[in-house]
Amino acid sequence: MDFNIKNKKISFVNSSILYIVPTPIGNLNDITYRAIGILKKVDYIIVENIHRASLLLKNFSINNVPLITLNAYNEHKKTNALLSILKKGQSIALISNAGTPVINDPGFYLIKCCKELNIRIIPLPGACAAITALTASGMNCNSFCYEGFLPKTHKKRINYLNMLEKEKRTLIFYESTHRILPSLKDMMMILGKDRNIVFARELTKIWETIYSTSIEELVFLIEENKICYKGEITLIVEGYNKSIPISSEALETFNLLKIKLSKKNTISLVSKIYNINRNLLYRYILKNNL
């Protein structure tokens, strides 16, 4: 199969196609008709975990397509065999346990090799926890950076967060249950205790949680077991903004006073109590629809 792009001829290997197919991150109804159709017609499906994939595929009556496991431990070892399949003109679909493949999941090396060999790659749109959480965060969605999982050790986390301290774009992280608290404490130390954060857990599932607060408050809620933090976690962190040094205490006071006072008088009073520039506070209130 050949394509001409600006007089440059690109030859794909036979009819070989590697499909990148997102799967639901929780709610099975989020899979697309196109994804189901492709998973039913390909010659092989690459999966992270046979058991988890089988449950998903069985739900959509996809029972006769052979499954091949690919994970962080065997990706390099198995890629040559997968390329051999593709070179024969057969098609393969790549899926992960949940969400869009390659985003903190295996498959990058295979895709890189396919690009080098001009094997056609067709990506499908679909579920992604990072983007799902971002859209509901109320933070800037026009300029953001996805950082995946923070390093596992305290020293490496601190070094990494130091690089992000002055990042003005909205930050997106994934985190695990057993590392959420130490990661948040390191964020509080480097990014500041008053930095706004959205805690999104088990997105699209019946026990979904999306909670907006400060990093300090979120640490308190987790330490006191006032919020469940088990399951798949996405953190959306407000970008750096030195011009608006507004503490959580000031915002709490604002929310209490505005019940009895006008917004104008409340802003004036809070700015005096906490020594905050009145215009900066006013712009912050407007920006965040408080």
Side-chain angles (χ1 to χ4, degrees):
M1 184 182 295
D2 295 337
F3 287 89
N4 284 294
I5 300 177
K6 293 184 178 180
N7 299 319
K8 182 179 179 180
K9 189 174 183 181
I10 299 177
S11 297
F12 290 117
V13 178
N14 300 322
S15 57
S16 310
I17 300 176
L18 174 65
Y19 293 96
I20 303 173
V21 183
T23 55
I25 58 176
N27 191 319
L28 293 181
N29 290 325
D30 290 335
I31 199 167
T32 67
Y33 289 117
R34 184 183 176 201
I36 294 173
I38 286 173
L39 291 174
K40 286 184 175 181
K41 78 173 186 179
V42 292
D43 297 298
Y44 296 91
I45 298 174
I46 299 172
V47 304
E48 277 188 85
N49 180 283
I50 292 284
H51 176 69
R52 289 187 63 172
S54 296
L55 292 176
L56 172 73
L57 298 172
K58 183 179 179 180
N59 187 77
F60 296 105
S61 301
I62 303 169
N63 303 312
N64 300 317
V65 182
L67 306 182
I68 302 173
T69 57
L70 190 73
N71 52 51
Y73 303 103
N74 67 16
E75 183 170 2
H76 282 72
K77 184 178 179 180
K78 283 198 172 183
T79 291
N80 284 335
L82 294 169
L83 293 173
S84 296
I85 292 172
L86 289 163
K87 287 176 182 178
K88 294 176 182 177
Q90 294 180 294
S91 59
I92 299 177
L94 170 66
I95 68 173
S96 62
N97 284 339
T100 300
V102 193
I103 308 297
N104 275 105
D105 286 321
F108 168 76
Y109 182 65
L110 172 62
I111 291 170
K112 183 175 182 290
C113 291
C114 286
K115 296 287 285 186
E116 292 172 352
L117 294 171
N118 285 330
I119 293 173
R120 191 178 182 193
I121 300 168
I122 298 181
L124 276 65
C128 176
I131 301 302
T132 303
L134 177 66
T135 58
S137 70
M139 296 184 190
N140 183 8
C141 296
N142 294 329
S143 181
F144 61 89
C145 50
Y146 170 75
E147 297 296 329
F149 287 90
L150 283 168
K152 294 180 180 180
T153 64
H154 170 70
K155 184 177 180 180
K156 289 182 178 180
R157 267 199 309 272
I158 291 296
N159 291 337
Y160 197 85
L161 288 168
N162 273 322
M163 293 190 297
L164 297 173
E165 181 187 2
K166 299 296 176 65
E167 175 57 66
K168 295 181 179 180
R169 294 172 294 176
T170 303
L171 301 167
I172 305 175
F173 301 96
Y174 286 159
E175 198 47 274
S176 60
T177 296
H178 66 281
R179 289 212 311 264
I180 182 67
L181 198 53
S183 289
L184 286 173
K185 287 183 176 180
D186 288 342
M187 283 186 191
M188 187 165 62
M189 182 190 309
I190 304 301
L191 304 182
K193 65 179 183 178
D194 297 319
R195 186 81 71 100
N196 290 324
I197 188 169
V198 170
F199 172 82
R201 183 186 71 91
E202 298 290 77
L203 290 169
T204 77
K205 300 175 184 176
I206 57 173
W207 41 83
E208 172 184 277
T209 301
I210 302 176
Y211 190 80
S212 303
T213 185
S214 66
I215 298 177
E216 181 182 41
E217 177 70 12
L218 183 55
V219 168
F220 169 78
L221 292 172
I222 291 175
E223 285 186 325
E224 298 298 318
N225 288 313
K226 294 182 179 295
I227 187 171
C228 182
Y229 55 95
K230 293 183 178 180
E232 304 291 333
I233 299 170
T234 304
L235 299 172
I236 311 294
V237 181
E238 185 178 36
Y240 176 76
N241 190 342
K242 186 178 180 180
S243 64
I244 307 179
I246 300 172
S247 67
S248 58
E249 291 86 352
L251 293 177
E252 184 177 356
T253 301
F254 173 84
N255 288 326
L256 290 172
L257 291 176
K258 74 177 184 180
I259 298 172
K260 297 292 184 180
L261 302 176
S262 67
K263 181 176 287 187
K264 179 180 179 180
N265 289 337
T266 303
I267 290 172
S268 179
L269 189 55
V270 171
S271 66
K272 290 178 182 178
I273 294 172
Y274 293 95
N275 194 28
I276 301 171
N277 182 284
R278 186 180 183 281
N279 291 329
L280 287 178
L281 179 59
Y282 177 73
R283 288 198 293 271
Y284 184 90
I285 297 303
L286 286 181
K287 178 183 176 182
N288 292 277
N289 297 315
L290 297 177

